[in-house]
Amino acid sequence: MCWSATADLTAGTVITAVGIACLARTRRARDLPVAALPLILGAHQLIEAAVWRSGGGCGPATTAWAVIALPLLPVWVPLGVLLAAAPEVRARLYPPAAAGIATGAYLAYCLATRPVSAEIRGHTLGYGVNVPWMPLALAGYLFATLGALLLAGDRRLRLLGLLMAAGALVCAVLWRLEFASTWCAFAAAASTLILVWTGERARSPSVREGAGRGAPDL
C-alpha cells in the first residue's frame, strides 16, 4: 500500500519491472515462485492505484487487492520457499507451508462469503473484511509467510524475512495512526533483495549445470 494513487502507480510500475527482470534471470524452474514475488507485489500496487482512483468501495479492484493480500500470499510464499530450498532444510519448512495452505483456504472462504470494502482515510486506504477468528488467522498468516522466510536455509531469504517483519510492524503502526501507508517502500526493498537472490542463483555452478543436489545455501 502507498499513500496515493500516483505513488502506488509509480511503485507498482518499478516493482513489476524488477519482477520481470527476476524471472528473466532465473535458471531453475523451482526458483520461479520466489522470483515471481516482485511481479505479484508490483501488480498488487497497480491494483491499489485503481482502488484509489475509484474512491474505495466494493468494486472489482478492491476484491482483486484482497485476493492477493489474503489467500494468495500465505500460500505462495511458503510453498515458493519450500520449492527453492535445499533438501536438508525442507523438513522444517513443511509446517509453514501447511499453515499457509490452511490459512489461505480459510481466508478464501471468508472472501467468497463476505463482502470486502475499501475506505480512503487521509493518506491511507483502510480495507474492511469480516474474518472471524482474526487473531488465529493472522498468526497462521505470519507463521506461513515470515516463518518460511526466516526458516529458509538461504541467507538472502532470511534477510528478506527480517525486512518483511520490520516492514509489517512499521506499516501497521503508521496505518493505525492514519499517517501514511509505506508498504510500497518495503515491497520495493524486498523486490531488490529478490533480484539479488536470483542473480546469485544464476551464478551458482550447481544451478547452471542442472545438478540434482538441490539449491545451495547462499
Side-chain angles (χ1 to χ4, degrees), residues 28-48:
R28 194 176 70 158
R30 283 172 38 162
D31 291 342
L32 286 173
V34 173
L37 269 174
L39 200 60
I40 295 173
L41 295 176
H44 206 212
Q45 303 295 150
L46 294 175
I47 290 170
E48 187 169 74

Side-chain angles (χ1 to χ4, degrees), residues 40-41 43-44 47 63-74 111 141:
I40 295 173
L41 295 176
H44 206 212
I47 290 170
T63 301
W65 185 95
V67 167
I68 294 175
L70 298 181
L72 178 61
L73 286 178
L111 287 182
Y141 192 107

Side-chain angles (χ1 to χ4, degrees), residues 4 32 42 47 82 97 132 146 148 158 163 183-184 187 206:
S4 69
L32 286 173
I47 290 170
L82 176 63
L146 299 182
R158 290 196 298 267
L163 176 67
W183 177 251
C184 54
S206 62

Side-chain angles (χ1 to χ4, degrees), residues 52-117:
W52 279 104
R53 299 290 188 190
S54 65
C58 303
T62 300
T63 301
W65 185 95
V67 167
I68 294 175
L70 298 181
L72 178 61
L73 286 178
V75 175
W76 191 282
V77 172
L79 290 182
V81 173
L82 176 63
L83 285 172
E88 61 269 19
V89 302
R90 287 177 194 157
R92 68 187 186 216
L93 294 172
Y94 290 133
I101 292 171
T103 302
Y106 176 65
L107 293 175
Y109 170 77
C110 291
L111 287 182
T113 57
R114 296 170 175 84
V116 56
S117 62

Side-chain angles (χ1 to χ4, degrees), residues 21-216:
C22 288
L23 290 176
R25 70 199 305 183
T26 298
R27 297 292 179 264
R28 194 176 70 158
R30 283 172 38 162
D31 291 342
L32 286 173
V34 173
L37 269 174
L39 200 60
I40 295 173
L41 295 176
H44 206 212
Q45 303 295 150
L46 294 175
I47 290 170
E48 187 169 74
V51 177
W52 279 104
R53 299 290 188 190
S54 65
C58 303
T62 300
T63 301
W65 185 95
V67 167
I68 294 175
L70 298 181
L72 178 61
L73 286 178
V75 175
W76 191 282
V77 172
L79 290 182
V81 173
L82 176 63
L83 285 172
E88 61 269 19
V89 302
R90 287 177 194 157
R92 68 187 186 216
L93 294 172
Y94 290 133
I101 292 171
T103 302
Y106 176 65
L107 293 175
Y109 170 77
C110 291
L111 287 182
T113 57
R114 296 170 175 84
V116 56
S117 62
E119 178 186 3
I120 296 176
R121 304 171 183 171
H123 294 292
T124 67
L125 272 171
Y127 292 88
V129 185
N130 182 11
V131 179
W133 305 98
M134 185 59 185
L136 184 60
L138 180 60
Y141 192 107
L142 294 177
F143 178 60
T145 53
L146 299 182
L149 291 168
L150 294 174
L151 291 172
D154 188 299
R155 62 186 178 88
R156 293 292 181 189
L157 295 184
R158 290 196 298 267
L159 180 59
L160 178 61
L162 291 173
L163 176 67
M164 292 295 93
L169 180 60
V170 170
C171 292
V173 171
L174 293 178
W175 183 82
R176 286 185 178 277
L177 294 174
E178 297 186 2
F179 175 67
S181 179
T182 54
W183 177 251
C184 54
F186 287 96
S191 299
T192 302
L193 268 178
I194 295 173
L195 183 64
V196 173
W197 179 81
T198 57
E200 291 178 340
R201 304 283 276 193
R203 292 191 297 271
S204 171
S206 62
V207 174
R208 288 200 307 268
E209 294 167 8
R213 298 186 297 273

